[in-house]
Amino acid sequence: MKILVALKRVVDYNVRIQVKPDGSGVAVEGAKMSINPFDEIALEEALRLKEADKAEEVIVVSIGPEAAQQQLRTGLAMGADRAILVQSDEAVSPLHAARILHTLVQAEQPGLVLLGKQAIDDDSNQTGQMLAALWGRPQATFASKVALEGETATVTREVDAGLETIAVDLPAVITSDLRLNEPRFVKLPDIMKAKRKPLDIRPLEELGVTPPPACQIVRWRAPEPRQAGHKVETVDELLTALKERGVL
Amino acid sequence: MRCLIIAEHDGQNLNTATARAVAAASQLGVEAIDVAVLAHGGQALAEQAAILEGVSQVLLLDREENAHPLAAVLAPQIAALAEGYSHLFMPSTTFGKDVLPRVAALMGLPQISDLMTVKGPHHFERPVYAGNAIIELQCPPEQPVLATVRTASFKPVGTGDAAPIETRALEIDLPGHTRFVALEADAGDRPDLQSAERVVSGGRGLGSEENFRLVEQLADKLHAAVGASRAAVDAGYAPNDLQVGQTGKIIAPELYIALGISGAIQHLTGIKDAGTIVAINKDPDAPIFEVADLGLVGDLFEIVPQLLEKLD
Ligand SMILES: Cc1cc2nc3c(=O)[nH]c(=O)nc-3n(C[C@H](O)[C@H](O)[C@H](O)COP(=O)(O)OP(=O)(O)OC[C@H]3O[C@@H](n4cnc5c(N)ncnc54)[C@H](O)[C@@H]3O)c2cc1C
Ligand SMILES: Nc1ncnc2c1ncn2[C@@H]1O[C@H](COP(=O)(O)O)[C@@H](O)[C@H]1O
């Protein structure tokens, strides 16, 4: 079985995001870029399945600029077998990304597609579900545990009510939550080895995917700042202040 | 223009998230707001939806397959129901986030996640980058708008006269490739984190699962819900459904008390809309103090017992 893992190149989660004064976007030029943290977890899960002899090949895929090769190389260094970059200088919407991934899925015929539950730049939380719909296959989102047995995956999902377990027939789409695993660190020799692994670059135009209708972003703004209040010295002062505010 | 909202429920009761989605829809200026209840044995649920203020009609899809909220099963039914509506809303809870993108892809339409402001029927705002930026979106008026509604941004509507309930039967084959196995829910009787007026949260500073009892004790004294930071959940002090933040729950209680939480941006994004934020932390430079209305620097293991005593 092949496993396809989607890796998005995003601004590292430690970078403080600032909206540009003219409202045209966020100032992230030169910022540190990383694999979306959820995608790293998705890849780790794929690698563990391969190490447990549940899969033969792990393919990492990214849709993004030429520079997204860096994130794919990191994925190869973590242990993926090969990589595909669908090159696009424009950001793609979740439905567009799902359509692109769907064409790759049709070509590669994986038994499992793993994605992050959400990209930490657009915070959409959509692409995996959309891919599952287009493919007509099951989805198991927000996974915190995955067990493969024959043609079925039993997945524990982090939902608002607690932990839900569902069983899905393969092939299926799974999206990772934070507690699925802790991704491994990349070691230097693996980085060297990764340089020789195949990385296939395909221009987006060549895939023949129609971009879906989209909403236009007309303006970016900073959130309303929350004013820092004041510090109190004692528990009594705290209780008085809470009573004054009418919340106790 | 008409808006359809998909109700969220646990089989017995509607979730307040539904009433919040109705509140968002009420700002669209549409002629009708209909609520669809997909359930098994859902008459009582439909009756709860029917009395939500502003609702014109309730559509009840009662079938065995709808006993559990499986996206692959619900999505084709919702896509069929959505025919003729200008707007389709679901709450931005794990339920809505799971189901609506699947519906959107079936319909070939984009989706807006976490809609936080309605500026017009096709003009909205939503947060990105963990709430560090807000984008204003203009959607094509000729196509339906699909959105999950950021629940913390809208106060739930009240109740009023009952709207009519119409039972619908759809001739659709539903997939069997996805099966519900179990739900492990915390059966505590504390208030629900997402609708509670008061929340007491604990972080890594609690140090152990046993110590986390302090958070629960303070919460119980205040009739508050219990929350947690990711670090506290990862360390096993609290269950996953108590996580507050970018990837947990986004909440807007009147009072939020953070104990031993540093205030990472991913946590703060979950509490931005809280009324009063109180932080108790031994590090005077913890970022939580930058947003706290009331801060108390000190050891929580000394402060919380004092609070418990004085609140008696
Ligand atoms: C993609 C992504 C998503 C994330 N999503 C979330 C999310 O949804 N929610 C979330 O919370 N985090 C999230 N995080 C994690 C976040 O970045 C922080 O790591 C986390 O919030 C830290 O939790 P904490 O404040 O409990 O722990 P710490 O940062 O370790 O802070 C512990 C605090 O306790 C204080 N303390 C210690 N002992 C005491 C004492 N005796 N008395 C008083 N104070 C004490 C310390 O001074 C410190 O400030 C996410 C991270 C990533 C990368
Ligand atoms: N441009 C992209 N390249 C690769 N993977 C992507 C891309 N966009 C989205 N994904 C995948 O879809 C997941 C959810 O993204 P989103 O729906 O944008 O929140 C991410 O965690 C990735 O696994």
Side-chain angles (χ1 to χ4, degrees):
Chain A
M1 180 176 86
K2 283 187 203 174
I3 303 180
L4 202 74
V5 183
L7 301 186
K8 188 175 186 186
R9 171 185 165 91
V10 297
V11 176
D12 187 84
Y13 79 96
N14 280 311
V15 174
R16 276 221 172 203
I17 299 293
Q18 299 274 336
V19 176
K20 290 182 188 167
D22 67 358
S24 64
V26 283
V28 290
E29 282 81 13
K32 182 178 176 209
M33 304 298 285
S34 300
I35 300 178
N36 182 43
F38 291 98
D39 303 358
E40 212 177 333
I41 295 169
L43 174 55
E44 176 65 34
E45 197 64 16
L47 296 173
R48 290 185 190 186
L49 288 169
K50 188 185 165 193
E51 284 156 7
D53 288 327
K54 307 262 185 191
E56 283 89 51
E57 192 185 26
V58 175
I59 308 161
V60 284
V61 181
S62 193
I63 306 155
E66 204 182 343
Q69 285 182 59
Q70 290 162 11
Q71 281 66 40
L72 289 170
R73 286 283 170 211
T74 305
L76 292 169
M78 279 176 72
D81 299 291
R82 61 187 167 95
I84 303 170
L85 172 64
V86 176
Q87 197 177 325
S88 164
D89 292 328
E90 302 279 317
V92 296
S93 69
L95 183 55
H96 199 181
R99 287 185 180 171
I100 294 164
L101 293 171
H102 186 218
T103 61
L104 299 179
V105 161
Q106 285 170 318
E108 300 284 351
Q109 299 286 325
L112 199 57
V113 182
L114 281 161
L115 303 90
K117 80 163 177 184
Q118 100 193 43
I120 59 161
D121 48 7
D122 63 31
D123 281 332
S124 292
N125 199 328
Q126 299 179 6
T127 309
Q129 297 88 309
M130 289 177 156
L131 169 63
L134 299 175
W135 195 13
R137 296 303 309 165
Q139 70 187 49
T141 51
F142 326 143
S144 65
K145 196 169 161 219
V146 174
L148 279 193
E149 209 51 69
E151 292 303 294
T152 308
T154 303
V155 182
T156 303
R157 310 176 53 232
E158 294 204 0
V159 295
D160 289 339
L163 292 171
E164 183 194 67
T165 305
I166 61 172
V168 296
D169 294 337
L170 302 185
V173 174
I174 297 178
T175 75
S176 62
D177 216 317
L178 289 172
R179 278 169 284 277
L180 182 55
N181 59 51
E182 264 192 55
R184 66 196 63 192
F185 287 103
V186 177
K187 294 185 229 65
L188 197 60
D190 298 329
I191 297 176
M192 303 310 288
K193 254 199 292 188
K195 290 192 176 141
R196 292 190 301 272
K197 291 186 180 175
L199 193 165
D200 181 11
I201 301 179
R202 302 188 198 160
L204 173 57
E205 306 78 59
E206 279 176 21
L207 261 59
V209 176
T210 348
C215 300
Q216 297 305 317
I217 301 179
V218 290
R219 198 171 74 99
W220 294 67
R221 68 170 176 89
E224 276 96 28
R226 228 194 131 96
Q227 298 300 331
H230 65 281
K231 290 210 175 108
V232 292
E233 301 295 327
T234 64
V235 168
D236 286 327
E237 261 185 68
L238 176 63
L239 290 171
T240 311
L242 285 173
K243 280 180 194 135
E244 275 166 11
R245 289 172 157 261
V247 290
L248 265 196
Chain B
M1 291 191 299
R2 297 190 306 148
C3 179
L4 180 66
I5 291 167
I6 310 304
E8 174 165 354
H9 61 82
D10 60 4
Q12 329 273 284
N13 289 298
L14 279 201
N15 184 313
T16 52
T18 309
R20 294 175 192 268
V22 174
S26 307
Q27 297 180 11
L28 291 168
V30 289
E31 293 123 52
I33 300 172
D34 295 350
V35 176
V37 175
L38 287 82
H40 178 48
Q43 183 62 33
L45 290 166
E47 283 164 16
Q48 289 173 36
I51 55 170
L52 290 178
E53 217 172 304
V55 171
S56 327
Q57 193 189 189
V58 175
L59 310 175
L60 174 60
L61 265 89
D62 214 317
R63 71 192 270 182
E64 209 180 329
E65 293 93 329
N66 292 344
H68 300 288
L70 297 170
V73 171
L74 300 180
Q77 302 176 64
I78 295 170
L81 279 180
E83 195 73 37
Y85 286 92
S86 58
H87 295 76
L88 173 62
F89 283 6
M90 286 183 77
S92 189
T93 53
T94 52
F95 168 65
K97 289 176 187 173
D98 185 41
V99 176
L100 195 61
R102 192 163 179 121
V103 178
L106 293 178
M107 297 175 76
L109 291 170
Q111 184 210 298
I112 301 170
S113 294
D114 303 313
L115 184 154
M116 61 178 280
T117 324
V118 175
K119 299 196 136 208
H122 299 94
H123 191 180
F124 310 101
E125 282 187 326
R126 67 166 295 246
V128 292
Y129 286 103
N132 283 306
I134 312 290
I135 53 176
E136 196 178 311
L137 294 165
Q138 189 75 56
C139 299
E142 66 282 0
Q143 75 187 30
V145 174
L146 274 56
T148 57
V149 174
R150 185 176 179 277
T151 51
S153 301
F154 300 91
K155 293 234 176 312
V157 294
T159 52
D161 293 339
I165 298 172
E166 189 190 311
T167 304
R168 287 273 178 96
L170 292 175
E171 296 297 318
I172 308 182
D173 280 338
L174 299 177
H177 55 46
T178 306
R179 296 168 297 277
F180 174 83
V181 177
L183 177 66
E184 210 182 294
D186 204 29
D189 30 64
R190 290 204 180 86
D192 167 53
L193 179 56
Q194 263 158 319
S195 46
E197 304 267 284
R198 295 169 178 178
V199 173
V200 181
S201 275
R204 202 198 309 265
L206 268 300
S208 73
E209 191 181 350
E210 274 162 34
N211 291 344
F212 202 82
R213 290 277 305 126
L214 266 184
V215 178
E216 295 165 359
Q217 282 167 13
L218 184 57
D220 290 345
K221 192 130 288 180
L222 294 168
H223 307 290
V226 174
S229 71
R230 175 192 171 186
V233 177
D234 283 3
Y237 307 167
N240 67 283
D241 50 304
L242 298 190
Q243 182 175 314
V244 172
Q246 180 187 19
T247 50
K249 286 175 180 156
I250 311 274
I251 56 174
E254 275 171 28
L255 174 63
Y256 185 80
I257 303 182
L259 306 173
I261 292 179
S262 63
I265 188 72
Q266 294 89 1
H267 187 80
L268 298 184
T269 193
I271 56 170
K272 274 201 173 117
D273 297 314
T276 296
I277 299 177
V278 176
I280 298 175
N281 194 306
K282 68 177 181 191
D283 173 8
D285 298 322
I288 187 90
F289 290 123
E290 288 165 29
V291 299
D293 300 285
L294 295 166
L296 182 49
V297 179
D299 187 342
L300 71 92
F301 296 111
E302 288 167 18
I303 294 169
V304 178
Q306 283 184 49
L307 270 172
L308 288 171
E309 204 185 293
K310 300 203 168 172
L311 283 166
D312 256 334

